PDB file of all heavy atoms in Angstrom:
ATOM      1  N   GLY A 139       0.351  93.945  44.888  1.00 87.00           N
ATOM      2  CA  GLY A 139      -0.754  93.148  45.427  1.00 87.00           C
ATOM      3  C   GLY A 139      -1.169  91.987  44.548  1.00 87.00           C
ATOM      4  O   GLY A 139      -2.106  91.273  44.860  1.00 87.00           O
ATOM      5  N   GLY A 141       0.637  89.293  43.776  1.00 91.00           N
ATOM      6  CA  GLY A 141       1.098  87.993  44.287  1.00 91.00           C
ATOM      7  C   GLY A 141       2.560  87.677  44.007  1.00 91.00           C
ATOM      8  O   GLY A 141       2.965  86.517  44.093  1.00 91.00           O
ATOM      9  N   LYS A 142       3.373  88.700  43.699  1.00 93.00           N
ATOM     10  CA  LYS A 142       4.780  88.445  43.412  1.00 93.00           C
ATOM     11  C   LYS A 142       5.516  87.924  44.638  1.00 93.00           C
ATOM     12  O   LYS A 142       6.251  86.937  44.561  1.00 93.00           O
ATOM     13  CB  LYS A 142       5.465  89.730  42.922  1.00 93.00           C
ATOM     14  CG  LYS A 142       4.847  90.323  41.683  1.00 93.00           C
ATOM     15  CD  LYS A 142       5.537  91.605  41.256  1.00 93.00           C
ATOM     16  CE  LYS A 142       5.443  92.725  42.260  1.00 93.00           C
ATOM     17  NZ  LYS A 142       4.087  93.211  42.527  1.00 93.00           N
ATOM     18  N   SER A 143       5.298  88.587  45.793  1.00 94.00           N
ATOM     19  CA  SER A 143       5.990  88.146  47.008  1.00 94.00           C
ATOM     20  C   SER A 143       5.497  86.765  47.421  1.00 94.00           C
ATOM     21  O   SER A 143       6.283  85.936  47.882  1.00 94.00           O
ATOM     22  CB  SER A 143       5.744  89.119  48.161  1.00 94.00           C
ATOM     23  OG  SER A 143       6.132  90.413  47.792  1.00 94.00           O
ATOM     24  N   THR A 144       4.217  86.532  47.253  1.00 94.00           N
ATOM     25  CA  THR A 144       3.653  85.235  47.625  1.00 94.00           C
ATOM     26  C   THR A 144       4.309  84.122  46.814  1.00 94.00           C
ATOM     27  O   THR A 144       4.785  83.139  47.373  1.00 94.00           O
ATOM     28  CB  THR A 144       2.130  85.239  47.375  1.00 94.00           C
ATOM     29  OG1 THR A 144       1.574  86.355  48.044  1.00 94.00           O
ATOM     30  CG2 THR A 144       1.479  83.974  47.849  1.00 94.00           C
ATOM     31  N   TYR A 160      16.483  84.550  50.734  1.00 96.00           N
ATOM     32  CA  TYR A 160      15.342  85.383  50.357  1.00 96.00           C
ATOM     33  C   TYR A 160      15.578  86.767  50.944  1.00 96.00           C
ATOM     34  O   TYR A 160      15.528  86.944  52.155  1.00 96.00           O
ATOM     35  CB  TYR A 160      14.059  84.753  50.906  1.00 96.00           C
ATOM     36  CG  TYR A 160      12.802  85.492  50.552  1.00 96.00           C
ATOM     37  CD1 TYR A 160      12.059  85.160  49.426  1.00 96.00           C
ATOM     38  CD2 TYR A 160      12.338  86.542  51.334  1.00 96.00           C
ATOM     39  CE1 TYR A 160      10.906  85.832  49.090  1.00 96.00           C
ATOM     40  CE2 TYR A 160      11.179  87.237  51.005  1.00 96.00           C
ATOM     41  CZ  TYR A 160      10.477  86.875  49.887  1.00 96.00           C
ATOM     42  OH  TYR A 160       9.329  87.551  49.552  1.00 96.00           O
ATOM     43  N   GLU A 164      11.039  94.961  51.704  1.00 90.00           N
ATOM     44  CA  GLU A 164       9.712  95.527  51.921  1.00 90.00           C
ATOM     45  C   GLU A 164       9.109  95.080  53.224  1.00 90.00           C
ATOM     46  O   GLU A 164       8.257  95.747  53.770  1.00 90.00           O
ATOM     47  CB  GLU A 164       8.777  95.087  50.793  1.00 90.00           C
ATOM     48  CG  GLU A 164       9.338  95.399  49.437  1.00 90.00           C
ATOM     49  CD  GLU A 164       8.294  95.401  48.348  1.00 90.00           C
ATOM     50  OE1 GLU A 164       7.337  94.646  48.458  1.00 90.00           O
ATOM     51  OE2 GLU A 164       8.485  96.188  47.403  1.00 90.00           O
ATOM     52  N   GLU A 165       9.524  93.904  53.696  1.00 92.00           N
ATOM     53  CA  GLU A 165       8.887  93.358  54.890  1.00 92.00           C
ATOM     54  C   GLU A 165       9.941  93.003  55.919  1.00 92.00           C
ATOM     55  O   GLU A 165      11.089  92.744  55.575  1.00 92.00           O
ATOM     56  CB  GLU A 165       8.100  92.092  54.499  1.00 92.00           C
ATOM     57  CG  GLU A 165       6.862  92.416  53.710  1.00 92.00           C
ATOM     58  CD  GLU A 165       6.387  91.255  52.851  1.00 92.00           C
ATOM     59  OE1 GLU A 165       7.240  90.505  52.338  1.00 92.00           O
ATOM     60  OE2 GLU A 165       5.181  91.108  52.698  1.00 92.00           O
ATOM     61  N   ARG A 173       3.705  85.256  56.778  1.00 92.00           N
ATOM     62  CA  ARG A 173       3.246  84.860  55.455  1.00 92.00           C
ATOM     63  C   ARG A 173       3.610  83.401  55.180  1.00 92.00           C
ATOM     64  O   ARG A 173       2.814  82.636  54.654  1.00 92.00           O
ATOM     65  CB  ARG A 173       3.896  85.759  54.406  1.00 92.00           C
ATOM     66  CG  ARG A 173       3.375  85.531  53.015  1.00 92.00           C
ATOM     67  CD  ARG A 173       4.234  86.241  52.016  1.00 92.00           C
ATOM     68  NE  ARG A 173       4.138  87.685  52.139  1.00 92.00           N
ATOM     69  CZ  ARG A 173       3.508  88.446  51.254  1.00 92.00           C
ATOM     70  NH1 ARG A 173       2.936  87.902  50.220  1.00 92.00           N
ATOM     71  NH2 ARG A 173       3.489  89.737  51.395  1.00 92.00           N
ATOM     72  N   ASP A 210      13.425  90.863  46.707  1.00 93.00           N
ATOM     73  CA  ASP A 210      12.084  91.472  46.655  1.00 93.00           C
ATOM     74  C   ASP A 210      12.175  92.863  47.272  1.00 93.00           C
ATOM     75  O   ASP A 210      12.299  92.982  48.474  1.00 93.00           O
ATOM     76  CB  ASP A 210      11.119  90.576  47.434  1.00 93.00           C
ATOM     77  CG  ASP A 210       9.675  91.042  47.327  1.00 93.00           C
ATOM     78  OD1 ASP A 210       9.412  91.983  46.571  1.00 93.00           O
ATOM     79  OD2 ASP A 210       8.827  90.470  48.020  1.00 93.00           O
ATOM     80  N   SER A 211      12.153  93.946  46.616  1.00 88.00           N
ATOM     81  CA  SER A 211      12.012  94.140  45.196  1.00 88.00           C
ATOM     82  C   SER A 211      13.114  95.067  44.698  1.00 88.00           C
ATOM     83  O   SER A 211      13.776  95.715  45.511  1.00 88.00           O
ATOM     84  CB  SER A 211      10.669  94.828  44.937  1.00 88.00           C
ATOM     85  OG  SER A 211      10.701  96.117  45.540  1.00 88.00           O
ATOM     86  N   ILE A 251      12.296  90.726  41.893  1.00 94.00           N
ATOM     87  CA  ILE A 251      10.900  91.167  41.800  1.00 94.00           C
ATOM     88  C   ILE A 251      10.879  92.648  41.439  1.00 94.00           C
ATOM     89  O   ILE A 251      11.698  93.415  41.942  1.00 94.00           O
ATOM     90  CB  ILE A 251      10.192  91.007  43.176  1.00 94.00           C
ATOM     91  CG1 ILE A 251      10.427  89.627  43.763  1.00 94.00           C
ATOM     92  CG2 ILE A 251       8.716  91.340  43.083  1.00 94.00           C
ATOM     93  CD1 ILE A 251       9.763  88.519  43.050  1.00 94.00           C
ATOM     94  N   HIS A 253       8.074  96.068  40.665  1.00 87.00           N
ATOM     95  CA  HIS A 253       6.693  96.550  40.584  1.00 87.00           C
ATOM     96  C   HIS A 253       6.444  97.256  39.273  1.00 87.00           C
ATOM     97  O   HIS A 253       7.291  97.965  38.773  1.00 87.00           O
ATOM     98  CB  HIS A 253       6.406  97.566  41.694  1.00 87.00           C
ATOM     99  CG  HIS A 253       6.440  96.962  43.043  1.00 87.00           C
ATOM    100  ND1 HIS A 253       5.531  96.030  43.446  1.00 87.00           N
ATOM    101  CD2 HIS A 253       7.298  97.127  44.067  1.00 87.00           C
ATOM    102  CE1 HIS A 253       5.825  95.664  44.673  1.00 87.00           C
ATOM    103  NE2 HIS A 253       6.894  96.302  45.080  1.00 87.00           N
TER     104      HIS A 253
HETATM  105 MG1   MG B 141       5.433  92.261  47.571  1.00 73.36          MG
END
Side-chain angles (χ1 to χ4, degrees):
K142 301 179 297 296
S143 304
T144 307
Y160 182 93
E164 307 199 328
E165 288 157 325
R173 186 191 293 252
D210 186 6
S211 64
I251 311 291
H253 293 294

